[in-house]
Amino acid sequence: VVAWCAVSRLHARMYTAGYDRTSERLRQAHAALEAASHYDADSGELHAAWGYYYYESARDYERALKELVVAREKLPNSAEVLELSGYVQRRAGQWEEATRSLERAVELDPRNVQPLQQLALTYQPQRRYQDEARIYDRVLALIPGDGFTLGLHALVPLDWKADLRPYQRLMAELLPTDPKKAAEADDINYTICERTSEAYARGLKYYP
């Protein structure tokens, strides 16, 4: 069951990410889950995989959530199922539920960077800026110097207090010393807030 679920997830991801947007790729994702059902049609892993399929490829969030409810009942301590539940709930506009799911996921898997970053990004539109910054501190403790996270962390004061200076200091530090990391940290949506020709040129360079 687990192997077939992994095959389905790979096909689904290739379809959604745009590597192969053919109906045949989507059919293979579905067929792999049907193959898994012959072994154990009611396993938690299979319900989770159906949830992933409906979320990633079919974009049917209602059906995805129904499958994930069952998966969570059968796999109550699965950080992966909770993480996926958080993504679907967030996409469905269920912000409080999504936050709780992701918070529980990072409790169960505290060194996994992906759900930590996504939890921080879930706090941001809810204006929970202190919580967002706290999570970025945790991420940077796990992967010190990560350009993407450094950029996100520096942008919290801008969202929170309209303070662009931490972001400007970070870019001024990274540009001459580590251009690759600077490109990871840069964000065109915030670069335009600087309102300088130099910032625009930099943004266009990183977003060709």
Side-chain angles (χ1 to χ4, degrees):
V1 172
V2 173
W4 277 116
C5 289
V7 170
S8 175
R9 188 162 184 161
L10 176 62
H11 285 305
R13 189 60 190 155
M14 290 180 69
Y15 176 84
T16 306
Y19 297 111
D20 182 2
R21 292 285 293 180
T22 63
S23 58
E24 174 59 20
R25 180 65 63 181
L26 195 57
R27 187 197 67 77
Q28 290 184 62
H30 193 279
L33 294 179
E34 290 182 325
S37 68
H38 293 309
Y39 295 94
D40 186 352
D42 200 33
S43 72
E45 290 82 3
L46 182 55
H47 283 289
W50 277 118
Y52 185 87
Y53 170 82
Y54 287 125
Y55 165 62
E56 272 279 301
S57 301
R59 301 295 174 92
D60 187 336
Y61 305 132
E62 184 177 351
R63 292 185 73 176
L65 287 172
K66 288 180 180 178
E67 292 290 346
L68 290 169
V69 166
V70 179
R72 289 174 69 166
E73 291 174 352
K74 294 180 176 294
L75 303 169
N77 292 318
S78 171
E80 185 178 11
V81 171
L82 285 158
E83 180 185 356
L84 179 57
S85 297
Y87 299 157
V88 181
Q89 290 162 335
R90 185 174 62 184
R91 191 65 67 88
Q94 299 174 10
W95 287 93
E96 292 183 5
E97 295 87 341
T99 302
R100 286 196 295 269
S101 293
L102 289 169
E103 287 174 339
R104 180 57 179 156
V106 301
E107 286 178 7
L108 292 168
D109 193 4
R111 297 184 63 81
N112 190 334
V113 168
Q114 172 72 14
L116 278 167
Q117 287 180 328
Q118 290 300 315
L119 175 58
L121 291 170
T122 304
Y123 285 141
Q124 188 264 352
Q126 299 179 81
R127 300 183 181 181
R128 294 178 58 175
Y129 301 121
Q130 285 182 306
D131 291 325
E132 183 187 6
R134 173 177 54 81
I135 295 298
Y136 288 140
D137 285 335
R138 287 182 58 179
V139 175
L140 289 170
L142 295 171
I143 46 173
D146 178 65
F148 179 64
T149 307
L150 286 170
L152 291 172
H153 196 295
L155 289 170
V156 173
L158 180 54
D159 289 332
W160 189 359
K161 303 175 182 178
D163 186 356
L164 190 59
R165 290 170 296 179
Y167 177 65
Q168 291 174 314
R169 286 195 294 267
L170 175 66
M171 296 308 297
E173 175 187 337
L174 294 179
L175 283 167
T177 60
D178 196 334
K180 181 179 179 180
K181 192 173 290 186
E184 295 172 352
D186 203 2
D187 188 315
I188 192 66
N189 297 302
Y190 293 91
T191 294
I192 60 176
C193 296
E194 296 190 51
R195 301 188 180 187
T196 66
S197 57
E198 293 81 9
Y200 297 150
R202 185 187 78 218
L204 290 172
K205 177 183 176 181
Y206 293 149
Y207 293 86

